[in-house]
Amino acid sequence: MCGIMGYVGDREATSILLDGLRRLEYRGYDSAGISTLDSNRKIHVVKDVGKVEQLAQKAELSGLRGIAGLAHTRWATHGGVTMLNAHPHLSCNREVTIVHNGIIENYLELRRDLDAKGHLFVSDTDSEVIAHLVEAVYRNKKDVLPALTDVVRQLKGAYAFAAILADAPNVMVGARQDAPLVVGLGNGENFLASDALAFIGHTDRVIFLDNRELVLLTEKNVTIYDFEGNVKQKPATQIAWELGSVSRREFEHYTLKEIHEQKETVLQALRQDPRSVDVFVDALERAGKVYITGCGTSFHAALLAKLLFTTYAKIPVEVLLSSEFDQYEELLDKKALLIAVSQSGETADVLSAVKAARKMGVKVCSIVNAMGSTLVRESECTLLNNCGPEIGVAATKSFTSQLMIFNMLALRLGQREAELSDLWSTGRLVEKTLGLDAQIQEIADRLHVANDFYFVGRSLHHPLALEGALKLKELSYIHAEGMAAGELKHGSLALISEGVPVVVLNPEDGTYGDTLSNASEVKARGGRIIGVSTKPSKVYDEYIEIPVAAPNIYPVLEAVPLQMLAYYAAVSRQQNPDYPRNLAKSVTVK
Ligand code: M6R
């Protein structure tokens, strides 16, 4: 879960790569670096710990010349956050530079062999082994393609890497095995990156590499091979993401911008190709048993989906955490349908669950935001979130898009025509809810000093309570727990003392009265109640009013104030909400 990028063309590479790194920073921000190959066939590297902006400030960067280069933004796995562990890495004779995303499982073994042959390693990373291996193999073969096929034959693990060799100027190579890698086809220039966002300002024509594929790029040509060195013909795809949608516009952070975009993105989620919806619905109708899997926020969307499918379509559903999938594999049989939910489509836990299911002959459909991602290609049918790139590490608009898609499927299966058409009112209702911004900022300003927060709700509001807690932890680092409101009295009530904030999700639906009683029980023990509801009550110390809506729409509306609370608590605590510590957007390791 790092971001890699490469450029080969007729322009100076550094500023193009730096711009790409800024767009890839969501993938990791422990360190960043750029390497270029100059016209004298010398490789130069500039790197630094910290975020891309820190790298951008380095004076040496302006002297970095070359029309071919690599760039990397790191989320540390092997080796601490240090300058030496930052990418790009070099081989010992500075003949090869590489950037890598993923894990080389057999790096210790390879490193021992290379050590024995006299290679000097300077970092603690698994990645550096690739640079030395390419150098060693190329020295014998003197030909890039055979060297590359030999290298990938020796590497084990999940990886994507790009390399430039001083001896093969203006050729860039890349390889993909279980980590994303996309080629960008320009005019007299070509790109390689973990995500098309990195180069979308230069071209929208891309080729998504599949597992066990290699690529050789020059400024004019792109040739793709399998790991055995056979040429593969692959069509280019035109991607639609607008450059404008990756700017922060007038917002201070991407997270806030993405929260505000939800008035449109909830409707975008409904604008699906009718044939794709038919295929999805058909798969659900034919399935012997339906399972849904995901991680983090996507898992919370899956929990809500279970309730929607049960209530509106009378379809029983099991929700399985992708990271725990191994425990349940035996439950699956060939008649089952697995729905995998993922914003990125690259989460290793999700992909591993999908792989296991497919191996057992289970049909896999997915709900994904990143088109062209591995999950889309591993699924028999997919519905895309259509919410545009989500840069903030916290899932916001992708979550509400997932909720909208699940709503649409459940209502369609249950033939609930009135509720289906009512879904189109969600954009207007979300817009109204966004008006809570100033009030929530003010609440966060007052309550950000709390050590603990609790979030409670029943039924459809329970997954939202879990999500509210995850969001607050992730962005503000305040300890938070979400739970079913009725469970408080079974233990957690012991934690409530004077002034402990408890967010109660309680619009007027079938759960209203019971949840209000639970809120009163908390208040009687000194808890500070923040009621998210459609109806004021003297039980609430703070009242956040959301618009009246159909019960199935409330979770979407509740998501908005919960996201804002987490965002503003982070800002009040002077944390950068776009880049929470220790996290990265795509979790491509298990
Ligand atoms: O890309 P995915 O939806 O598969 O990601 C799953 C989780 O890693 C993700 O939702 C994570 O929990 C977010 N940072 C939550 O805001």
Side-chain angles (χ1 to χ4, degrees):
M1 48 204 250
C2 301
I4 66 176
M5 182 179 182
Y7 172 82
V8 55
D10 55 3
R11 295 188 281 163
E12 285 295 330
T14 303
S15 62
I16 296 169
L17 292 169
L18 189 63
D19 185 46
L21 277 189
R22 290 191 173 105
R23 292 160 188 274
L24 287 179
E25 194 159 31
Y26 72 89
R27 301 181 66 86
Y29 32 87
D30 289 333
S31 60
I34 293 179
S35 60
T36 54
L37 178 68
D38 74 13
S39 50
N40 298 317
R41 297 193 179 189
K42 277 213 162 67
I43 294 174
H44 305 271
V45 181
V46 178
K47 52 191 181 179
D48 207 348
V49 292
K51 298 184 63 218
V52 173
E53 261 341 286
Q54 221 152 304
L55 176 74
Q57 300 309 319
K58 293 201 95 162
E60 303 101 284
L61 209 62
S62 55
L64 207 57
R65 296 268 165 260
I67 53 172
L70 303 176
H72 188 271
T73 177
R74 179 170 188 244
W75 185 78
T77 56
H78 291 59
V81 179
T82 64
M83 183 79 133
L84 286 177
N85 290 338
H87 298 220
H89 289 290
L90 285 165
S91 61
C92 31
N93 291 338
R94 299 184 75 94
E95 288 171 4
V96 177
T97 176
I98 67 102
V99 286
H100 162 233
N101 167 33
I103 288 175
I104 305 299
E105 282 164 10
N106 60 335
Y107 81 102
L108 285 174
E109 198 182 311
L110 291 168
R111 188 169 169 151
R112 258 195 309 274
D113 287 353
L114 289 158
D115 264 336
K117 287 180 187 144
H119 285 261
L120 290 176
F121 284 79
V122 296
S123 79
D124 304 319
T125 63
D126 54 337
S127 313
E128 191 187 349
V129 85
I130 304 173
H132 293 275
L133 192 60
V134 173
E135 183 180 79
V137 174
Y138 182 76
R139 223 178 263 161
N140 285 333
K141 309 246 177 205
K142 288 281 171 223
D143 195 346
V144 177
L145 183 63
L148 201 58
T149 54
D150 196 349
V151 166
V152 294
R153 194 181 45 75
Q154 296 190 53
L155 296 177
K156 290 199 175 76
Y159 59 81
F161 73 82
I164 288 178
L165 290 77
D167 201 40
N170 306 333
V171 177
M172 179 167 56
V173 304
R176 177 203 153 118
Q177 173 62 53
D178 283 329
L181 200 56
V182 192
V183 174
L185 303 168
N187 213 343
E189 57 186 4
N190 288 306
F191 308 81
L192 198 55
S194 305
D195 185 330
L197 266 185
F199 51 71
I200 188 91
H202 306 283
T203 180
D204 59 0
R205 286 202 319 128
V206 306
I207 300 176
F208 294 102
L209 293 190
D210 283 307
N211 281 341
R212 299 182 59 79
E213 284 183 348
L214 305 172
V215 61
L216 259 61
L217 306 98
T218 64
E219 59 178 283
K220 298 239 166 64
N221 292 309
V222 170
T223 316
I224 294 164
Y225 306 87
D226 63 20
F227 269 17
E228 282 69 47
N230 306 304
V231 176
K232 288 185 81 174
Q233 300 300 338
K234 296 194 70 160
T237 310
Q238 183 135 15
I239 52 169
W241 286 359
E242 299 297 332
L243 179 60
S245 62
V246 294
S247 93
R248 278 195 279 111
R249 301 211 315 261
E250 72 276 22
F251 295 97
E252 201 178 333
H253 297 103
Y254 285 111
T255 307
L256 188 61
K257 175 198 156 213
E258 287 158 5
I259 291 171
H260 278 265
E261 280 173 350
Q262 291 176 108
K263 57 180 183 290
E264 288 119 22
T265 55
V266 290
L267 300 184
Q268 282 298 109
L270 299 178
R271 293 192 183 106
Q272 298 288 338
D273 171 3
R275 281 163 310 181
S276 306
V277 179
D278 288 347
V279 172
F280 217 110
V281 166
D282 187 57
L284 276 157
E285 277 171 343
R286 284 169 188 266
K289 175 91 200 186
V290 178
Y291 296 91
I292 311 183
T293 193
C295 299
T297 294
S298 296
F299 174 71
H300 297 155
L303 290 177
L304 187 86
K306 175 186 166 97
L307 293 162
L308 293 171
F309 281 126
T310 316
T311 312
Y312 295 100
K314 309 291 176 223
I315 292 182
V317 167
E318 289 269 358
V319 178
L320 307 175
L321 265 174
S322 305
S323 55
E324 289 289 312
F325 200 80
D326 309 359
Q327 316 308 313
Y328 305 105
E329 259 172 55
E330 282 167 17
L331 285 178
L332 304 178
D333 66 41
K334 284 199 172 97
K335 289 192 193 126
L337 168 71
L338 179 69
I339 302 180
V341 197
S342 172
Q343 185 285 131
S344 61
E346 299 293 351
T347 302
D349 290 321
V350 178
L351 294 177
S352 150
V354 163
K355 209 176 199 172
R358 287 187 61 180
K359 212 163 153 190
M360 298 176 76
V362 170
K363 187 175 178 119
V364 175
C365 290
S366 58
I367 295 179
V368 187
N369 191 35
M371 100 184 78
S373 59
T374 307
L375 182 55
V376 173
R377 280 171 297 129
E378 296 282 320
S379 309
E380 283 174 57
C381 56
T382 297
L383 292 176
L384 292 170
N385 287 4
N386 295 332
C387 67
E390 189 176 66
I391 306 292
V393 165
T396 53
K397 59 178 179 171
S398 63
F399 176 61
T400 47
S401 299
Q402 291 164 348
L403 300 191
M404 293 303 287
I405 293 173
F406 278 127
N407 251 304
M408 179 185 68
L409 291 171
L411 296 172
R412 161 94 192 256
L413 281 158
Q415 298 178 341
R416 307 283 288 249
E417 298 306 327
E419 284 106 329
L420 250 181
S421 65
D422 198 31
L423 282 182
W424 291 96
S425 66
T426 314
R428 180 179 47 78
L429 296 169
V430 167
E431 186 165 16
K432 211 164 165 198
T433 313
L434 286 166
L436 292 166
D437 194 288
Q439 185 200 354
I440 302 215
Q441 183 169 10
E442 202 239 317
I443 295 175
D445 270 354
R446 266 184 288 118
L447 297 184
H448 76 271
V449 287
N451 292 322
D452 309 285
F453 256 78
Y454 296 90
F455 293 77
V456 300
R458 285 169 178 259
S459 181
L460 295 177
H461 314 293
H462 176 211
L464 268 291
L466 301 178
E467 175 60 9
L470 175 65
K471 222 72 317 164
L472 190 70
K473 282 189 275 202
E474 181 179 26
L475 294 190
S476 72
Y477 318 151
I478 298 173
H479 167 254
E481 270 186 62
M483 65 194 81
E487 283 300 294
L488 264 171
K489 57 186 178 297
H490 296 294
S492 304
L493 204 54
L495 296 168
I496 304 299
S497 58
E498 202 56 39
V500 171
V502 180
V503 178
V504 179
L505 301 173
N506 197 25
E508 283 171 285
D509 62 10
T511 65
Y512 179 80
D514 286 340
T515 305
L516 196 64
S517 302
N518 298 137
S520 306
E521 289 151 17
V522 174
K523 195 175 170 77
R525 274 107 189 145
R528 183 169 187 82
I529 310 293
I530 302 145
V532 179
S533 185
T534 44
K535 185 177 175 187
S537 161
K538 58 181 178 1
V539 178
Y540 306 143
D541 298 289
E542 314 274 356
Y543 172 51
I544 297 174
E545 182 169 6
I546 57 169
V548 173
N552 55 304
I553 295 178
Y554 280 136
V556 179
L557 303 184
E558 286 164 350
V560 174
L562 297 178
Q563 293 163 354
M564 283 176 171
L565 184 65
Y567 170 80
Y568 282 116
V571 171
S572 301
R573 289 167 76 107
Q574 297 180 341
Q575 307 298 339
N576 184 337
D578 284 345
Y579 303 107
R581 71 182 172 209
N582 306 337
L583 301 182
K585 185 78 178 160
S586 304
V587 187
T588 56
V589 289
K590 272 186 86 176

